[in-house]
Amino acid sequence: MLRALSLYKNRCTPPSNSKSAAASNFCCLINDTTVALEHEEEETVKKSRFVARCAPAVTFSSAKEFIDRVSDPKARHNCWAWCGEKSQRSNDDGEPSGTAGRPILNSIEGEGLLNVVVVVTRYKSKDAPMLGAGGLLRAYGSAASLVLRAAARVEEFPVVSIELMFPMSELGSVQSLVARYEGRKEGSGTLVRNGEDYSKGTSVTLTAVVEEAFAAGFEAELTEATNGAATMSLVLV
């Protein structure tokens, strides 16, 4: 899934021998994986029902909207955790401290997921026995893992917005290069063209988004294809 903006920090440095002008701006990334859609699973532990729901959530505000929507005010506890790219949050919702939100968050991390929110709602019958701290840790963690493993997943490919400027004489060369990248599959350097401006007469401006991990390579090919006549720059949005 292509993201409109790059929301992910660089996780490695460019090669020391890179001569690309964009080498300091682009580098290889570890792509992030999240759940594709909302999903629900449940399991029963000693007469307590644990209903687990998950959803993709890039920001905590979107996670909070999901938490508020699926939480059941009639249930004893609606415990949750959210794991974003740069921050995490969790809540025990009345369970003993550290016995619910933290194990849910641990399950998200253990599944290698980011930008995910999980809510585990506990329904306890009147004759249900006490689970104890250890039992709660295992039950909430198990319910969270169950829903995450059953949910469909999608890999997110960070992208950056770019602007190409080149003489009209290089239009054919640039269009050919852009078309090749447009034909690539997601995860292999695909490019999405936004628009072209021919108003200057002798030069052309083309805007697009390209997968961040392949931006430096695209710039190098652009320079070679136009003998340095075309330039590429980042567009901050």
Side-chain angles (χ1 to χ4, degrees), residues 198-212:
Y198 298 91
S199 62
K200 295 179 182 178
T202 59
S203 64
V204 181
T205 301
L206 185 152
T207 57
V209 293
V210 65
E211 289 180 21
E212 189 170 2

Side-chain angles (χ1 to χ4, degrees), residues 2-237:
L2 288 179
R3 298 191 53 75
L5 299 175
S6 173
L7 300 177
Y8 306 96
K9 62 179 179 289
N10 295 338
R11 298 199 178 98
C12 66
T13 55
S16 59
N17 62 351
S18 174
K19 299 184 182 300
S20 167
S24 62
N25 296 322
F26 307 113
C27 75
C28 58
L29 303 181
I30 299 173
N31 297 322
D32 295 323
T33 303
T34 187
V35 296
L37 300 167
E38 294 182 14
H39 191 72
E40 177 181 322
E41 295 285 340
E42 71 171 79
E43 62 182 358
T44 300
V45 179
K46 295 183 179 180
K47 298 184 179 182
S48 284
R49 284 177 57 227
F50 293 84
V51 180
R53 301 175 178 91
C54 68
V58 174
T59 64
F60 179 67
S61 61
S62 61
K64 188 64 167 59
E65 290 176 2
F66 176 76
I67 294 166
D68 292 342
R69 175 163 55 84
V70 303
S71 293
D72 184 354
K74 297 179 181 179
R76 293 182 65 89
H77 307 281
N78 293 281
C79 307
W80 54 264
W82 169 72
C83 185
E85 171 63 22
K86 295 181 179 179
S87 62
Q88 305 169 336
R89 299 192 187 187
S90 62
N91 190 291
D92 295 312
D93 192 33
E95 294 283 25
S97 179
T99 63
R102 186 68 233 186
I104 295 172
L105 183 59
N106 288 344
S107 293
I108 297 174
E109 294 176 326
E111 293 298 316
L113 300 171
L114 282 175
N115 300 326
V116 174
V117 58
V118 175
V119 179
V120 179
T121 300
R122 181 188 181 191
Y123 297 92
K124 182 182 178 183
S125 64
K126 293 181 180 180
D127 60 342
M130 299 288 288
L131 296 180
L136 291 172
L137 282 164
R138 290 188 293 273
Y140 279 102
S142 175
S145 295
L146 179 67
V147 73
L148 291 172
R149 290 171 184 171
R153 300 186 181 191
V154 62
E155 191 172 15
E156 297 183 320
F157 300 100
V159 300
V160 288
S161 296
I162 58 173
E163 181 179 84
L164 312 181
M165 296 186 67
F166 51 91
M168 184 71 73
S169 60
E170 297 294 339
L171 180 61
S173 298
V174 175
Q175 293 279 30
S176 177
L177 175 63
V178 168
R180 283 200 292 108
Y181 273 76
E182 285 180 312
R184 293 187 175 189
K185 295 181 180 180
E186 288 188 10
S188 301
T190 189
L191 176 149
V192 178
R193 190 183 325 215
N194 288 334
E196 299 165 25
D197 181 4
Y198 298 91
S199 62
K200 295 179 182 178
T202 59
S203 64
V204 181
T205 301
L206 185 152
T207 57
V209 293
V210 65
E211 289 180 21
E212 189 170 2
F214 295 85
F218 176 82
E219 184 192 30
E221 289 190 54
L222 178 70
T223 300
E224 181 178 359
T226 64
N227 292 316
T231 61
M232 185 182 87
S233 59
L234 284 174
V235 178
L236 301 179
V237 289

